């Protein structure tokens, strides 16, 4: 028999896609699009979609990540919310302004755009309507809608002044789940890498504190939203990671509750699985096609010459 020329990572991705198909001619057995695959976050073993549905149905907190500019991620989460409509979760959005209570849904017939503007969704920054599938599903099937985003002014103050500028209610949450030195080092390196190595050392600590404050705001909203049933979070993958982000805080605030962190990761540039370090902190991983985008560091490299 001829030896396969398909790279191992690509074969694993194909196996994962097959795992999401039923025996009847490849028909999907769950809500995920046919272009994506489900994996165990720890072992990277391909899983049937039913595993995602079962675990999400039984969890107190479900966190669904995203790469912000990948439309498949928003479509996939909208499908998951729709497939599990019977759960009726309260849905917390990273992209909506933090509130002390649930946000009233848009009146029937009112455009989503006006409702989003009213509640702090930066349509230009988040490249609306990319998020429309998950927003529409949350409005249709969520028990309630909550916001968790901090204002730019608040975050600038934290970056400049550190923990002393964190709103008191979030400082209390942060004190319940302090980030250890290993977590601080990991976040610091990710901030440096995410800013293409151009972030001044003097800003790293403040930027990390602002990130933790945002995580604390999401966790606080999740706790309030969960008072009457399950709560789900819609946020970027960095906030969904179990080791340094919102799940870590939720486990400290509600140690008896079940937390499910689902990362939505892009396939590698060659179509294989994401790199090893991308899997850290997720209970389940959904691998999707990659969005082609320009090198975000190219402009910075040119300006530094």
């Amino acid at each position: 028999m001829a030896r396969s020329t398909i790279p191992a990572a690509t074969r694993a991705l194909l196996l994962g896609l097959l795992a999401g198909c039923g025996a009847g001619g490849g028909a999907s057995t769950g809500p995920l699009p046919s272009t994506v695959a489900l994996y165990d976050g720890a072992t990277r073993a391909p899983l049937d979609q039913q595993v995602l549905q079962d675990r999400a149905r039984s969890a107190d907190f479900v966190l669904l990540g995203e790469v912000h500019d990948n439309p498949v991620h928003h479509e996939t989460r909208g499908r998951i919310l729709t497939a599990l409509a019977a759960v009726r979760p309260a849905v917390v959005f990273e992209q909506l302004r933090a509130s002390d209570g649930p946000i009233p849904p848009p009146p029937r017939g009112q455009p989503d755009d006006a409702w989003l503007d009213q509640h702090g969704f930066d349509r230009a920054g988040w490249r609306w309507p990319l998020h429309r599938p998950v927003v529409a599903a949350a409005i249709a099937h969520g028990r309630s809608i909550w916001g968790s985003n901090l204002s730019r002014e608040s975050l600038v103050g934290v970056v400049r002044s550190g923990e002393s500028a964190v709103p008191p209610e979030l400082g209390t949450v942060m004190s319940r789940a302090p980030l250890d030195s290993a977590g601080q080092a990991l976040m610091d390196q990710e901030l440096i890498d995410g800013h293409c190595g151009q972030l001044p050392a003097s800003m790293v600590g403040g930027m990390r504190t602002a990130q933790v404050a945002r995580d604390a705001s999401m966790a606080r909203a999740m706790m309030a939203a969960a008072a009457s049933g399950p709560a789900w979070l819609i946020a970027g993958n960095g906030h969904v990671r179990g080791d340094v982000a919102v799940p870590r805080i939720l486990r400290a605030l509600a140690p008896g509750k079940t937390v499910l962190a689902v990362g939505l990761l892009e396939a590698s540039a060659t179509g294989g699985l994401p790199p090893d370090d991308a899997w850290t902190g997720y209970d389940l991983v959904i691998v999707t096609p990659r969005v082609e985008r320009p090198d975000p560091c190219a402009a910075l490299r040119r300006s530094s010459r």
Side-chain angles (χ1 to χ4, degrees):
M1 180 181 294
R3 186 173 182 269
S4 172
T5 59
I6 302 174
T10 304
R11 290 200 304 274
L13 181 57
L14 292 173
L15 285 171
L17 288 169
L18 290 172
C21 297
S28 175
T29 61
L32 302 185
S34 61
T35 56
V36 314
L38 178 68
Y39 296 88
D40 183 277
T43 68
R44 300 175 205 174
L47 299 174
D48 188 89
Q49 295 187 34
Q50 192 62 45
V51 174
L52 169 63
Q53 295 184 80
D54 291 344
R55 293 187 64 178
R57 191 178 289 112
S58 63
D60 298 296
F61 299 108
V62 176
L63 300 91
L64 300 176
E66 67 183 60
V67 176
H68 298 310
D69 65 347
N70 191 316
V72 177
H73 292 193
H74 308 308
E75 176 197 356
T76 298
R77 295 179 304 171
R79 284 172 173 249
I80 294 169
L81 272 166
T82 300
L84 294 170
V87 174
R88 298 289 291 173
V91 185
V92 177
F93 279 90
E94 170 190 2
Q95 298 84 2
L96 296 174
R97 185 189 308 115
S99 56
D100 289 330
I103 297 169
R108 191 175 296 274
Q110 176 182 325
D112 289 348
D113 294 7
W115 179 79
L116 293 168
D117 292 343
Q118 181 183 356
H119 296 290
F121 189 108
D122 178 359
R123 287 189 285 134
W126 293 109
R127 298 178 62 180
W128 181 259
L130 285 180
H131 284 73
R132 176 163 281 152
V134 67
V135 169
I139 291 171
H141 307 299
R143 186 174 71 254
S144 56
I145 306 293
W146 298 67
S148 63
N149 201 16
L150 300 178
S151 70
R152 183 180 182 278
E153 293 74 22
S154 176
L155 291 171
V156 167
V158 174
V159 171
R160 288 175 175 169
S161 303
E163 291 191 15
S164 64
V166 172
E169 66 276 12
L170 298 184
T172 300
V173 173
M174 291 165 63
S175 69
R176 296 272 304 275
L179 188 65
D180 62 22
S181 58
Q184 291 181 21
L186 189 152
M187 289 187 72
D188 289 354
Q189 189 59 55
E190 290 198 342
L191 284 165
I192 293 167
D193 294 343
H195 290 80
C196 308
Q198 304 297 310
L199 186 65
S202 60
M203 292 185 63
V204 173
M207 292 281 285
R208 183 214 319 130
T209 302
Q211 180 81 348
V212 176
R214 293 190 71 207
D215 289 338
S217 183
M218 294 179 204
R220 181 172 181 264
M222 290 281 279
M223 291 293 294
S228 58
W232 290 24
L233 177 66
I234 301 299
N237 283 322
H239 296 294
V240 170
R241 286 182 54 153
D243 52 346
V244 295
V246 180
R248 174 187 66 84
I249 300 174
L250 288 173
R251 291 184 178 107
L253 298 179
K257 301 292 186 179
T258 305
V259 180
L260 178 66
V262 183
L264 278 82
L265 307 182
E266 294 182 322
S268 71
T270 59
L273 292 179
D276 291 349
D277 59 359
W279 297 71
T280 304
Y282 304 115
D283 301 308
L284 299 175
V285 167
I286 298 171
V287 179
T288 77
R290 186 179 190 84
V291 167
E292 295 302 323
R293 55 181 69 86
D295 179 359
C297 297
L300 281 173
R301 284 195 294 265
R302 287 194 297 269
S303 65
S304 64
R305 289 174 183 169

